[in-house]
Amino acid sequence: MTLDGSVRPETAADPTTDPTPDADGPAETPGGRSAWSALRPLVLRLHFYAGVLVAPLLLVAATSGLLYALSFQAEKVVYAHELTVPVGERTVPLSQQVHAAKKVNPGGTVTAVWPSAEPGATTRVLMADPSVKEGTSLAVFVDPYTAEVRGQLPSYGSSGALPLRTWLDELHRDLHLGELGRNYSELAASWLWVVALGGLALWIGRRRRARRELFLPERGPKSRRRTLSWHGAVGLWAVTGLVLLSATGLTWSRWAGENIDAVRSQLGGATPAVSAVIGAGTGEGTTGHEGHAGHGGGAPAQAATGPDVGIDKVVAAAREAGVDGRIAVTLPAEGKAYVVKQTDTQFPVHLDSVAVNPADGAVMDQLRFADYPLLAKLTRFGIDAHTGVFLGLANQLALAALALALILLIVWGYRMWWLRRPGRPVARGAWRKVPPTMLLPLLAGTALVGWFVPMLGISLLVFLAVDVLLGLMARARARREA
């Protein structure tokens, strides 16, 4: 019995060919083999093992990701009382709204304010509060027309995820197991692009009667061939999105994320930040990468002391500098300035930011998104798209469609595996068929990728060790039977 559940024929303990009638790629010729003919058995075996052994992790990630993508709209229904109010004739000053929030929660420290961004939306006053867990703020929702407090909820990250979305985000990220659970999501993201690109190569290299069969699934009675047709065609349409999800997911992973950050920094693609230190000149820092729902955004250690022009004049100064629309205001800590950032991620994005001196309301520093390095822009777009905030509802629907496609691909893959039993497994020893001129660069590239994406490299070594052990056991059993 092998890892694919098949029983090896007694007369062929270790077959080197895949005799299935729907084998892919060009046929072998007496005079030689094409490059794809040499590589296909290796790609097929890798795709099969990764599909069978890693697919459960991908299924969990896809299912939780689907729920996360739908949670944006669900929040609007579940928390409608906190998020929306009747539209009034005139808004009260922002400082008055903040005062109302502090009045209902005098033990909290205001760290940031998100003014109402559209008619009928509440203002969020974010507080550091011991009643919420570390890394989470307490959001007080205030009616901008009456300064009435509508409610209080924990809020997480720069996107302001509320409890429902935060719970699903943590399920998707680490299964609510903390640092240990992050290994699951990193392992899934590490293998997703390998499985997707391997499947793409197998599907494109397959012999077919008509070109339309490449893009559209076949009709007809249920069979392994029909299941393969759906698996391949849907995978072809989804492969680009799946690879992008894998790449962006790795940017904030624990191990590969560190390597990605190092490369970004070396290439000058680190994300700049507006300088908020009073007395320091204009400078650039790095904000690092943001995780699901925008992890981070911790509260200042202590409130600023000294003269303060107030949040109303700060917002007016920022708007005069061109930072308007949907904004977030971070209150100053000791020796720091106010930071006002645009948070409009709809295309075209508006993500400029300024630092405003609390003593006189003067703009100390400003940073335009147009001045970001190209790599920093692409990173921001990729992460925002992965977390569903780049293009709003369209982004969330696209994420849901990709997650659903991945779930179906996994189900079809397991169905094909089941329908194939009993039968010969994917041949062992496929690497021996690859010419040395191709094998050596392939091994070097695999070692480099395995070092850069450690969870991929470690799990691949485990797969190889298990495969070698099963091969030795099969040969020993064959010798005893002989």
Short mmCIF file of all heavy atoms in Angstrom, two decimals, residues 412-449:
data_model
loop_
_atom_site.label_atom_id
_atom_site.label_comp_id
_atom_site.label_asym_id
_atom_site.label_seq_id
_atom_site.Cartn_x
_atom_site.Cartn_y
_atom_site.Cartn_z
N TRP A 412 -12.63 17.91 -5.77
CA TRP A 412 -12.46 17.16 -7.02
C TRP A 412 -11.17 16.35 -7.01
O TRP A 412 -11.11 15.24 -7.54
CB TRP A 412 -12.46 18.13 -8.20
CG TRP A 412 -13.82 18.70 -8.50
CD1 TRP A 412 -15.02 18.07 -8.35
CD2 TRP A 412 -14.11 20.00 -9.00
NE1 TRP A 412 -16.05 18.91 -8.72
CE2 TRP A 412 -15.52 20.10 -9.13
CE3 TRP A 412 -13.34 21.10 -9.35
CZ2 TRP A 412 -16.16 21.25 -9.60
CZ3 TRP A 412 -13.96 22.24 -9.81
CH2 TRP A 412 -15.35 22.31 -9.93
N GLY A 413 -10.11 16.91 -6.43
CA GLY A 413 -8.84 16.19 -6.37
C GLY A 413 -8.96 14.91 -5.57
O GLY A 413 -8.49 13.84 -5.99
N TYR A 414 -9.61 14.98 -4.42
CA TYR A 414 -9.80 13.77 -3.61
C TYR A 414 -10.74 12.78 -4.31
O TYR A 414 -10.57 11.56 -4.19
CB TYR A 414 -10.36 14.15 -2.24
CG TYR A 414 -9.29 14.53 -1.24
CD1 TYR A 414 -9.23 15.82 -0.72
CD2 TYR A 414 -8.33 13.61 -0.83
CE1 TYR A 414 -8.25 16.17 0.19
CE2 TYR A 414 -7.35 13.96 0.08
CZ TYR A 414 -7.31 15.24 0.58
OH TYR A 414 -6.34 15.60 1.48
N ARG A 415 -11.72 13.32 -5.03
CA ARG A 415 -12.62 12.42 -5.76
C ARG A 415 -11.85 11.66 -6.84
O ARG A 415 -12.05 10.45 -7.03
CB ARG A 415 -13.77 13.21 -6.37
CG ARG A 415 -14.68 12.37 -7.27
CD ARG A 415 -15.90 13.14 -7.73
NE ARG A 415 -16.63 12.42 -8.77
CZ ARG A 415 -17.43 11.38 -8.56
NH1 ARG A 415 -17.60 10.94 -7.33
NH2 ARG A 415 -18.05 10.78 -9.55
N MET A 416 -10.96 12.32 -7.55
CA MET A 416 -10.16 11.63 -8.57
C MET A 416 -9.29 10.57 -7.93
O MET A 416 -9.12 9.48 -8.48
CB MET A 416 -9.31 12.64 -9.34
CG MET A 416 -10.09 13.49 -10.31
SD MET A 416 -9.03 14.48 -11.37
CE MET A 416 -8.27 15.57 -10.18
N TRP A 417 -8.70 10.90 -6.79
CA TRP A 417 -7.87 9.92 -6.09
C TRP A 417 -8.70 8.69 -5.72
O TRP A 417 -8.26 7.55 -5.86
CB TRP A 417 -7.28 10.59 -4.85
CG TRP A 417 -6.66 9.64 -3.89
CD1 TRP A 417 -5.52 8.91 -4.06
CD2 TRP A 417 -7.15 9.30 -2.58
NE1 TRP A 417 -5.27 8.15 -2.93
CE2 TRP A 417 -6.26 8.36 -2.01
CE3 TRP A 417 -8.25 9.72 -1.84
CZ2 TRP A 417 -6.44 7.84 -0.73
CZ3 TRP A 417 -8.43 9.19 -0.56
CH2 TRP A 417 -7.53 8.26 -0.03
N TRP A 418 -9.93 8.92 -5.26
CA TRP A 418 -10.78 7.80 -4.86
C TRP A 418 -11.22 6.97 -6.06
O TRP A 418 -11.22 5.73 -6.00
CB TRP A 418 -12.00 8.35 -4.12
CG TRP A 418 -12.91 7.28 -3.59
CD1 TRP A 418 -14.06 6.82 -4.14
CD2 TRP A 418 -12.70 6.51 -2.40
NE1 TRP A 418 -14.60 5.83 -3.38
CE2 TRP A 418 -13.78 5.61 -2.30
CE3 TRP A 418 -11.71 6.50 -1.42
CZ2 TRP A 418 -13.89 4.71 -1.25
CZ3 TRP A 418 -11.84 5.60 -0.37
CH2 TRP A 418 -12.92 4.72 -0.29
N LEU A 419 -11.57 7.63 -7.16
CA LEU A 419 -12.01 6.90 -8.35
C LEU A 419 -10.88 6.11 -8.99
O LEU A 419 -11.12 5.13 -9.70
CB LEU A 419 -12.60 7.88 -9.38
CG LEU A 419 -13.92 8.56 -9.00
CD1 LEU A 419 -14.32 9.58 -10.05
CD2 LEU A 419 -15.02 7.51 -8.82
N ARG A 420 -9.66 6.52 -8.75
CA ARG A 420 -8.51 5.84 -9.35
C ARG A 420 -8.20 4.53 -8.65
O ARG A 420 -7.53 3.67 -9.21
CB ARG A 420 -7.30 6.76 -9.29
CG ARG A 420 -6.10 6.27 -10.07
CD ARG A 420 -5.00 7.30 -10.05
NE ARG A 420 -3.87 6.88 -10.87
CZ ARG A 420 -2.80 7.61 -11.06
NH1 ARG A 420 -2.71 8.79 -10.50
NH2 ARG A 420 -1.81 7.17 -11.81
N ARG A 421 -8.63 4.35 -7.43
CA ARG A 421 -8.36 3.14 -6.69
C ARG A 421 -9.27 2.00 -7.16
O ARG A 421 -10.45 2.23 -7.40
CB ARG A 421 -8.58 3.37 -5.20
CG ARG A 421 -7.73 4.45 -4.62
CD ARG A 421 -8.15 4.83 -3.20
NE ARG A 421 -7.82 3.79 -2.26
CZ ARG A 421 -8.70 3.03 -1.63
NH1 ARG A 421 -9.99 3.19 -1.88
NH2 ARG A 421 -8.32 2.10 -0.77
N PRO A 422 -8.78 0.76 -7.23
CA PRO A 422 -7.37 0.38 -7.15
C PRO A 422 -6.68 0.65 -8.49
O PRO A 422 -7.32 0.73 -9.52
CB PRO A 422 -7.43 -1.11 -6.86
CG PRO A 422 -8.69 -1.55 -7.55
CD PRO A 422 -9.66 -0.39 -7.42
N GLY A 423 -5.40 0.76 -8.46
CA GLY A 423 -4.65 1.03 -9.67
C GLY A 423 -3.22 1.36 -9.31
O GLY A 423 -2.87 1.46 -8.14
N ARG A 424 -2.40 1.53 -10.30
CA ARG A 424 -1.01 1.84 -10.03
C ARG A 424 -0.87 3.27 -9.52
O ARG A 424 -1.52 4.17 -10.03
CB ARG A 424 -0.17 1.66 -11.29
CG ARG A 424 0.03 0.21 -11.69
CD ARG A 424 1.04 0.10 -12.79
NE ARG A 424 1.27 -1.28 -13.15
CZ ARG A 424 2.17 -1.66 -14.07
NH1 ARG A 424 2.89 -0.74 -14.68
NH2 ARG A 424 2.34 -2.92 -14.35
N PRO A 425 -0.02 3.48 -8.56
CA PRO A 425 0.18 4.82 -8.05
C PRO A 425 1.06 5.64 -8.96
O PRO A 425 1.60 5.12 -9.94
CB PRO A 425 0.89 4.58 -6.71
CG PRO A 425 1.67 3.33 -6.96
CD PRO A 425 0.81 2.48 -7.88
N VAL A 426 1.21 6.90 -8.63
CA VAL A 426 2.16 7.73 -9.34
C VAL A 426 3.55 7.13 -9.14
O VAL A 426 3.94 6.80 -8.03
CB VAL A 426 2.13 9.17 -8.80
CG1 VAL A 426 3.09 10.06 -9.58
CG2 VAL A 426 0.71 9.72 -8.89
N ALA A 427 4.29 6.97 -10.21
CA ALA A 427 5.53 6.20 -10.17
C ALA A 427 6.56 6.80 -9.23
O ALA A 427 6.75 8.01 -9.18
CB ALA A 427 6.12 6.09 -11.57
N ARG A 428 7.23 5.92 -8.47
CA ARG A 428 8.34 6.36 -7.62
C ARG A 428 9.60 6.44 -8.47
O ARG A 428 9.75 5.77 -9.47
CB ARG A 428 8.52 5.37 -6.47
CG ARG A 428 9.59 5.75 -5.49
CD ARG A 428 9.68 4.79 -4.33
NE ARG A 428 8.57 5.01 -3.41
CZ ARG A 428 7.62 4.13 -3.16
NH1 ARG A 428 7.63 2.98 -3.79
NH2 ARG A 428 6.65 4.41 -2.34
N GLY A 429 10.53 7.28 -8.04
CA GLY A 429 11.79 7.42 -8.77
C GLY A 429 11.67 8.30 -10.00
O GLY A 429 12.46 8.17 -10.93
N ALA A 430 10.69 9.22 -10.00
CA ALA A 430 10.49 10.06 -11.19
C ALA A 430 11.68 10.96 -11.46
O ALA A 430 11.94 11.32 -12.62
CB ALA A 430 9.23 10.91 -11.00
N TRP A 431 12.43 11.32 -10.43
CA TRP A 431 13.57 12.23 -10.62
C TRP A 431 14.65 11.59 -11.50
O TRP A 431 15.43 12.30 -12.14
CB TRP A 431 14.16 12.63 -9.27
CG TRP A 431 14.72 11.48 -8.47
CD1 TRP A 431 14.06 10.68 -7.61
CD2 TRP A 431 16.07 11.00 -8.51
NE1 TRP A 431 14.88 9.73 -7.08
CE2 TRP A 431 16.13 9.91 -7.61
CE3 TRP A 431 17.21 11.38 -9.20
CZ2 TRP A 431 17.30 9.20 -7.40
CZ3 TRP A 431 18.38 10.68 -8.98
CH2 TRP A 431 18.43 9.59 -8.09
N ARG A 432 14.70 10.24 -11.54
CA ARG A 432 15.72 9.58 -12.36
C ARG A 432 15.49 9.80 -13.85
O ARG A 432 16.40 9.63 -14.65
CB ARG A 432 15.73 8.08 -12.07
CG ARG A 432 16.05 7.72 -10.63
CD ARG A 432 16.26 6.22 -10.49
NE ARG A 432 16.39 5.81 -9.11
CZ ARG A 432 15.41 5.32 -8.38
NH1 ARG A 432 14.19 5.18 -8.92
NH2 ARG A 432 15.60 4.97 -7.13
N LYS A 433 14.26 10.16 -14.21
CA LYS A 433 13.95 10.36 -15.63
C LYS A 433 14.37 11.74 -16.13
O LYS A 433 14.33 11.99 -17.33
CB LYS A 433 12.45 10.18 -15.86
CG LYS A 433 11.93 8.80 -15.47
CD LYS A 433 10.44 8.69 -15.73
CE LYS A 433 9.92 7.32 -15.34
NZ LYS A 433 8.47 7.17 -15.64
N VAL A 434 14.73 12.64 -15.21
CA VAL A 434 15.10 14.00 -15.60
C VAL A 434 16.57 14.02 -15.99
O VAL A 434 17.42 13.57 -15.21
CB VAL A 434 14.84 14.98 -14.44
CG1 VAL A 434 15.17 16.41 -14.87
CG2 VAL A 434 13.39 14.89 -13.99
N PRO A 435 16.92 14.53 -17.18
CA PRO A 435 18.33 14.59 -17.59
C PRO A 435 19.15 15.44 -16.61
O PRO A 435 18.63 16.39 -16.02
CB PRO A 435 18.26 15.27 -18.97
CG PRO A 435 16.87 15.06 -19.44
CD PRO A 435 16.02 15.04 -18.22
N PRO A 436 20.44 15.10 -16.42
CA PRO A 436 21.27 15.85 -15.48
C PRO A 436 21.32 17.34 -15.78
O PRO A 436 21.41 18.16 -14.87
CB PRO A 436 22.65 15.20 -15.63
CG PRO A 436 22.36 13.81 -16.12
CD PRO A 436 21.15 13.94 -16.99
N THR A 437 21.29 17.71 -17.05
CA THR A 437 21.34 19.14 -17.40
C THR A 437 20.12 19.90 -16.90
O THR A 437 20.17 21.11 -16.73
CB THR A 437 21.44 19.29 -18.93
OG1 THR A 437 20.36 18.57 -19.55
CG2 THR A 437 22.78 18.76 -19.44
N MET A 438 19.01 19.20 -16.68
CA MET A 438 17.82 19.82 -16.11
C MET A 438 17.72 19.58 -14.62
O MET A 438 17.24 20.43 -13.87
CB MET A 438 16.57 19.28 -16.81
CG MET A 438 16.47 19.59 -18.29
SD MET A 438 15.03 18.80 -19.04
CE MET A 438 13.71 19.52 -18.08
N LEU A 439 18.21 18.41 -14.18
CA LEU A 439 18.06 18.02 -12.78
C LEU A 439 18.89 18.90 -11.85
O LEU A 439 18.40 19.33 -10.79
CB LEU A 439 18.44 16.56 -12.60
CG LEU A 439 18.28 15.99 -11.19
CD1 LEU A 439 16.82 16.09 -10.75
CD2 LEU A 439 18.77 14.55 -11.14
N LEU A 440 20.14 19.18 -12.23
CA LEU A 440 21.01 19.95 -11.34
C LEU A 440 20.49 21.37 -11.12
O LEU A 440 20.41 21.81 -9.97
CB LEU A 440 22.43 19.97 -11.91
CG LEU A 440 23.15 18.61 -11.93
CD1 LEU A 440 24.54 18.74 -12.53
CD2 LEU A 440 23.23 18.04 -10.51
N PRO A 441 20.13 22.12 -12.17
CA PRO A 441 19.52 23.45 -11.90
C PRO A 441 18.22 23.35 -11.12
O PRO A 441 17.92 24.22 -10.28
CB PRO A 441 19.28 24.02 -13.31
CG PRO A 441 20.22 23.28 -14.20
CD PRO A 441 20.32 21.90 -13.62
N LEU A 442 17.45 22.29 -11.35
CA LEU A 442 16.19 22.11 -10.63
C LEU A 442 16.45 21.89 -9.15
O LEU A 442 15.76 22.47 -8.29
CB LEU A 442 15.42 20.93 -11.22
CG LEU A 442 14.03 20.65 -10.64
CD1 LEU A 442 13.12 21.83 -10.89
CD2 LEU A 442 13.44 19.38 -11.26
N LEU A 443 17.45 21.08 -8.83
CA LEU A 443 17.79 20.84 -7.43
C LEU A 443 18.30 22.11 -6.76
O LEU A 443 17.96 22.40 -5.61
CB LEU A 443 18.84 19.73 -7.33
CG LEU A 443 18.36 18.32 -7.68
CD1 LEU A 443 19.54 17.34 -7.63
CD2 LEU A 443 17.27 17.87 -6.73
N ALA A 444 19.13 22.87 -7.49
CA ALA A 444 19.65 24.13 -6.93
C ALA A 444 18.52 25.11 -6.67
O ALA A 444 18.48 25.77 -5.62
CB ALA A 444 20.69 24.73 -7.88
N GLY A 445 17.61 25.23 -7.63
CA GLY A 445 16.47 26.13 -7.45
C GLY A 445 15.58 25.70 -6.30
O GLY A 445 15.09 26.53 -5.52
N THR A 446 15.36 24.37 -6.18
CA THR A 446 14.53 23.86 -5.09
C THR A 446 15.17 24.15 -3.74
O THR A 446 14.49 24.52 -2.78
CB THR A 446 14.31 22.35 -5.26
OG1 THR A 446 13.69 22.10 -6.53
CG2 THR A 446 13.44 21.80 -4.15
N ALA A 447 16.50 23.97 -3.65
CA ALA A 447 17.20 24.25 -2.39
C ALA A 447 17.09 25.72 -2.02
O ALA A 447 16.90 26.07 -0.85
CB ALA A 447 18.66 23.82 -2.51
N LEU A 448 17.23 26.60 -3.03
CA LEU A 448 17.14 28.04 -2.76
C LEU A 448 15.74 28.41 -2.29
O LEU A 448 15.58 29.15 -1.29
CB LEU A 448 17.50 28.81 -4.03
CG LEU A 448 17.43 30.34 -3.92
CD1 LEU A 448 18.42 30.84 -2.87
CD2 LEU A 448 17.72 30.99 -5.28
N VAL A 449 14.71 27.91 -2.97
CA VAL A 449 13.33 28.21 -2.57
C VAL A 449 13.04 27.62 -1.19
O VAL A 449 12.39 28.25 -0.35
CB VAL A 449 12.34 27.68 -3.62
CG1 VAL A 449 10.90 27.82 -3.13
CG2 VAL A 449 12.51 28.41 -4.94
#
